Amino acid sequence: MKCDLAVVGAGPGGSMAAKTAAQAGLEVVLIEKRQEIGDPVRCAEGVSKRGLSDMVKPEPRWISAEVRGARIYAPDGTSIVMSEDKSGTEVGYVLERKIFDRALAMEAARAGARVMVKTRALGLLRKNGTLKGLQAMCMGESLQIEAPLIIGADGVESKVGRWAGIDTALKLKDIESCAQFLLQDNSIDDQYCEFFLGNSIAPAGYVWAFPKGENLANVGLGILGSRSRPGEAVRLLKEFVKTRYPEGKVVEMVVGGDPCSGPIESTTADGVMLVGDAARQTDALTGGGILNAMQAGIIAGDVAAKALAAGDVSRTGLREYETRWRETLGRHIARSFEFKEFFIKLTDDELNQLIGSLRNEDVSNMDLRAMLKVLFRLNPKLRWELRHLVI
């Protein structure tokens, strides 16, 4: 099989890259190792309304719930409420990823990309040291995909990056060990996404509850890998659910890892670009990555078309991808990493103090940056610790 561009991974980043490149006239093959795109769901499924609408026109069937905002709980139960348009990139719509991911892949197909499921990348094809494509397995049969350019959108465990010689290694302190239940409980608040802080419930992490309508919610927990042991995330999540939702019924369960490393040194190699979790483009503070992956995918698809037209798919020829995503997404990701590094060091008493200091402030219409400015004013220690950051 021959094409201009092979994209590995049909998540939001890979599908947007394939769609963008196909719309630019490239022959694109988009492969997905699973037989069903979007399944299993390995995220809380939250996105901001504005962020999503900037890239695609939302369809009602993609959306499980619309929320009014976010409620953040300190370890002592003190809470603050933020409106949905100020709560960041994970609050606004709670998606139905099984439908959403398939819809994006269908958009790529309609743009002209060839979508292949149950097709696993096995390695890169090279001739005289030059990248020539992918070796793959499609429904049990060997397949060679000849392509001068490959986009790796194959998730946190990305093999494309490693095969290309890109350093994507994660230390334990730079990955969150996560577990999530799809929970049914009559007490679930369908109007708000909820975040619960505290080292006793989620060491160096947090618990989330994202409503999906009809008294369903994605209730999950992430803890820093360096603070985790095998099975720890599931055990802690069970304890939280038992306390918070004693009558709750678990309908589905998923476990996995989420990178929180901040930007890596390089996301390109000769003939290769990485997108989304594969490129560590996840928000290190919140763990959110859907919109980041989509935005990076659009940039990668656009750069792919330009590089192929110019006849230069070397790392130098792909430099525009590095420049564009780092000047937009990269700045936000780097800032979030610094915040994460600070917040994971806080004790429960210090978390209580920080959130408690906002008790007399109206944060409902503040975004994260505005709220941090208030926290800086009210808490000199925070201002000193993060003095090198531009808020």
Side-chain angles (χ1 to χ4, degrees):
M1 181 182 295
K2 295 183 179 181
C3 62
D4 298 316
L5 171 67
V7 182
V8 181
S15 289
M16 293 303 289
K19 174 186 173 182
T20 303
Q23 287 175 331
L26 299 187
E27 291 186 24
V28 181
V29 172
L30 172 61
I31 68 172
E32 168 58 48
K33 65 183 179 181
R34 297 183 179 88
Q35 63 186 19
E36 293 185 46
I37 293 172
D39 194 19
V41 175
R42 296 173 65 185
C43 80
E45 304 181 276
V47 294
S48 79
K49 295 177 183 177
R50 181 182 302 172
L52 183 64
S53 299
D54 284 345
M55 291 180 280
V56 293
K57 183 179 180 180
E59 297 184 14
R61 63 194 180 95
W62 301 351
I63 299 162
S64 292
E66 293 187 47
V67 296
R68 295 173 57 187
R71 189 176 287 116
I72 303 171
Y73 292 88
D76 64 3
T78 301
S79 67
I80 57 173
V81 177
M82 301 176 69
S83 63
E84 59 89 5
D85 61 324
K86 302 294 184 181
S87 298
T89 58
E90 284 74 57
V91 177
Y93 290 136
V94 181
L95 299 172
E96 188 60 63
R97 283 287 301 273
K98 294 177 183 179
I99 298 175
F100 176 71
D101 285 21
R102 292 170 195 171
L104 293 189
M106 285 298 298
E107 288 193 8
R110 291 190 186 99
R114 179 173 181 175
V115 181
M116 303 177 67
V117 297
K118 208 171 184 181
T119 304
R120 181 182 297 272
L122 301 178
L124 303 182
L125 294 175
R126 297 185 185 276
K127 185 176 182 179
N128 299 325
T130 301
L131 180 70
K132 293 297 182 181
L134 281 172
Q135 182 68 42
M137 183 71 70
C138 177
M139 299 186 185
E141 296 185 1
S142 181
L143 172 68
Q144 287 191 350
I145 303 174
E146 295 182 23
L149 184 57
I150 295 167
I151 292 177
D154 49 337
V156 63
E157 59 278 287
S158 175
K159 294 182 179 179
V160 172
R162 295 202 303 272
W163 294 333
I166 300 173
D167 184 8
T168 59
L170 288 169
K171 299 177 182 178
L172 284 175
K173 71 179 186 65
D174 290 329
I175 190 167
E176 289 278 325
S177 177
C178 303
Q180 179 173 276
F181 296 154
L182 178 59
L183 195 76
Q184 190 280 325
D185 189 274
N186 292 335
S187 69
I188 287 170
D189 187 341
D190 288 335
Q191 298 298 310
Y192 287 88
C193 291
E194 296 185 310
F195 300 87
F196 302 84
L197 308 179
N199 289 289
S200 60
I201 59 171
Y206 66 93
V207 176
W208 62 86
F210 279 32
K212 299 198 68 176
E214 299 180 351
N215 299 124
L216 287 171
N218 287 326
V219 180
L221 176 148
I223 54 178
L224 206 62
S226 56
R227 303 276 294 273
S228 178
R229 299 189 301 273
E232 185 78 351
V234 174
R235 183 186 68 81
L236 288 172
L237 181 57
K238 286 180 178 178
E239 289 182 2
F240 175 83
V241 167
K242 184 177 180 180
T243 301
R244 183 78 183 184
Y245 307 103
E247 303 299 321
K249 299 177 179 64
V250 176
V251 180
E252 294 179 7
M253 171 182 167
V254 66
V255 296
D258 201 21
C260 56
S261 62
I264 56 177
E265 183 176 344
S266 176
T267 57
T268 57
D270 290 345
V272 173
M273 291 182 280
L274 299 182
V275 164
D277 282 358
R280 314 307 183 220
Q281 289 164 336
T282 313
D283 187 301
L285 183 62
T286 67
I290 297 173
L291 298 184
N292 285 0
M294 292 174 67
Q295 188 174 345
I298 292 170
I299 297 171
D302 182 53
V303 171
K306 292 179 180 178
L308 285 164
D312 185 3
V313 295
S314 68
R315 184 177 177 185
T316 300
L318 300 174
R319 183 181 297 143
E320 182 185 341
Y321 173 64
E322 293 276 10
T323 301
R324 285 173 60 183
W325 84 257
R326 290 184 188 278
E327 287 182 350
T328 51
L329 298 172
R331 293 182 179 180
H332 172 77
I333 294 168
R335 188 186 301 119
S336 290
F337 176 75
E338 295 291 345
F339 291 144
K340 182 216 75 170
E341 290 290 280
F342 171 77
F343 282 111
I344 63 173
K345 300 173 185 176
L346 298 180
T347 65
D348 283 3
D349 285 343
E350 289 170 328
L351 287 168
N352 290 333
Q353 179 182 340
L354 278 180
I355 294 180
S357 70
L358 296 170
R359 187 177 295 110
N360 296 320
E361 303 287 334
D362 182 9
V363 301
S364 60
N365 290 307
M366 293 183 190
D367 59 15
L368 181 59
R369 178 177 293 188
M371 188 171 70
L372 285 168
K373 285 183 177 180
V374 174
L375 283 172
F376 274 30
R377 173 170 55 82
L378 298 175
N379 300 272
K381 177 183 177 182
L382 181 64
R383 183 169 64 247
W384 174 253
E385 290 280 352
L386 298 176
R387 62 191 180 281
H388 59 290
L389 288 181
V390 178
I391 303 301

